[in-house]
Amino acid sequence: MPSKAKTNKPKLTSIDNVVIGYIHPGQVSAFFTHSLIMSLMSDQGLHRRIVGIEQDWSSANVSASRNTVTQRFLDDYTADWLWWIDADMAWEPEALEQLLAVADPVNAPIVGGLCFGASNGELFPTIYQLAEFEGGITTVRMHDFEPNTVIPVAATGAAFLLIHRSALEAIKARAYNKTFTWFQETEMGGRPVGEDITFCLRALESGFKTFVHTGVEVGHHKSQLLTADLHRQQRAAVKADEGTEDV
C-alpha cells in the first residue's frame, strides 16, 4: 500500500492555480487515465493552471482519504482551487476551463460538473435540493434540469468538484469534527447522508453556495459508462410513458 506520509513540497502560487485531488483503491479506470492525461496536455498548451496532483489510497472509509488530500492541499499549496475528480470518471479536456469560467471565490466558490449515479439500472444526476420529509429536512435528487446551465444546488457529489480554498478554510474554522473536518458520512432527518453531501451542507452553513454546471458532462465508469446521453434516453422513455414532454 502506498504511504500516506506527507511530502515536503514547495508552496506554489499564482492566480487561478488548480490542484487535482483524487482517491483510489489501488487502481483507476482507463477512462480516468485517458481524461487526466488529455487535461494535463491541454493545460500545458494553454494556461498552465494545474500546479499539482494529490492522491491517497482509499479503503471503504472514503471520508478519511478525502480529508487527508484536502489537508495536504491547504498545507502544501497556495493555489486557489482544489479540483476533486473520482478515479472512475471520464471528461473532456476543456472541462476545467468551463468550470473556471463560471467559478468565483465569492459568488460561485464550489462548482461541480454534471455527473451520474445509478440505482437499479436507472441513472440519476447527482443534483440535490432540500425538501421536507416526514416533518424534517432532507436532500432529494432532482432528475430534470436545464441543459448547459449553472444551477444552484443544496449539494452535489465530490466526483467532479471544483472548490475554492476559502470555502475549505471556513469549514475548518467552524470545527464540525476534529477528525472528519470536511467530509464525513452523517445523517439528516433520520436518513444516512454521504460524505460529499455533508461537505456541501457544511459549506452552505459556512456561507458558501454550491452549483452544478450542466454543460460540463462527465461520464461515470461502472459496468458501463454512465453519461448524460444515456440519462436523456432514459428520461425521454419515462416521459413518453407518462405522456409528458421532457424538460
Side-chain angles (χ1 to χ4, degrees):
M1 179 182 296
S3 172
K4 294 185 180 180
K6 177 180 169 182
T7 57
N8 293 320
K9 295 190 280 296
K11 288 204 171 187
L12 301 172
T13 181
S14 183
I15 296 176
D16 283 336
N17 275 348
V18 175
V19 173
I20 295 173
Y22 71 96
I23 57 177
H24 57 86
Q27 60 185 10
V28 301
S29 164
F31 290 99
F32 172 87
T33 302
H34 176 80
S35 298
L36 180 60
I37 291 172
M38 295 302 293
S39 287
L40 292 172
M41 292 175 62
S42 175
D43 183 66
Q44 280 294 302
L46 294 173
H47 304 292
R48 299 194 175 188
R49 302 186 192 276
I50 300 172
V51 297
I53 300 177
E54 289 293 333
Q55 56 83 28
D56 198 59
W57 185 288
S58 174
S59 62
N61 185 1
V62 298
S63 294
S65 297
R66 287 204 191 279
N67 287 313
T68 294
V69 170
T70 302
Q71 190 63 63
R72 287 179 188 164
F73 166 72
L74 291 178
D75 288 346
D76 296 345
Y77 301 87
T78 56
D80 305 272
W81 302 92
L82 174 61
W83 184 20
W84 274 108
I85 310 173
D86 277 1
D88 55 357
M89 310 308 285
W91 67 96
E92 296 299 326
E94 62 269 20
L96 176 58
E97 292 303 316
Q98 289 178 291
L99 292 179
L100 285 172
V102 301
D104 180 82
V106 177
N107 298 317
I110 305 171
V111 184
L114 178 60
C115 304
F116 296 87
S119 178
N120 298 319
E122 181 182 356
L123 272 66
F124 60 86
T126 54
I127 297 174
Y128 303 93
Q129 301 291 11
L130 296 176
E132 290 189 16
F133 178 77
E134 296 182 350
I137 299 295
T138 188
T139 54
V140 294
R141 297 169 181 165
M142 306 301 294
H143 283 278
D144 297 314
F145 51 85
E146 291 292 332
N148 198 27
T149 303
V150 181
I151 58 176
V153 299
T156 188
F160 205 81
L161 192 62
L162 188 68
I163 308 169
H164 194 265
R165 70 180 301 118
S166 60
L168 299 172
E169 291 168 343
I171 294 171
K172 183 175 182 178
R174 291 178 71 95
Y176 285 97
N177 185 287
K178 183 176 180 180
T179 302
F180 298 99
T181 307
W182 298 277
F183 297 91
Q184 182 181 9
E185 285 83 2
T186 57
E187 65 86 24
M188 185 179 189
R191 304 172 70 184
V193 173
E195 89 290 346
D196 40 14
I197 293 180
T198 297
F199 167 79
C200 292
L201 295 178
R202 287 178 175 178
L204 184 60
E205 289 182 350
S206 303
F208 294 83
K209 297 179 180 179
T210 299
F211 298 81
V212 168
H213 190 337
T214 62
V216 182
E217 298 182 355
V218 185
H220 190 180
H221 185 197
K222 292 301 186 182
S223 57
Q224 65 184 121
L225 191 64
L226 308 184
T227 65
D229 284 340
L230 183 56
H231 178 260
R232 280 189 283 267
Q233 293 171 18
Q234 290 188 349
R235 293 303 294 166
V238 169
K239 295 294 184 180
D241 289 341
E242 295 174 347
T244 59
E245 293 183 358
D246 200 358
V247 175

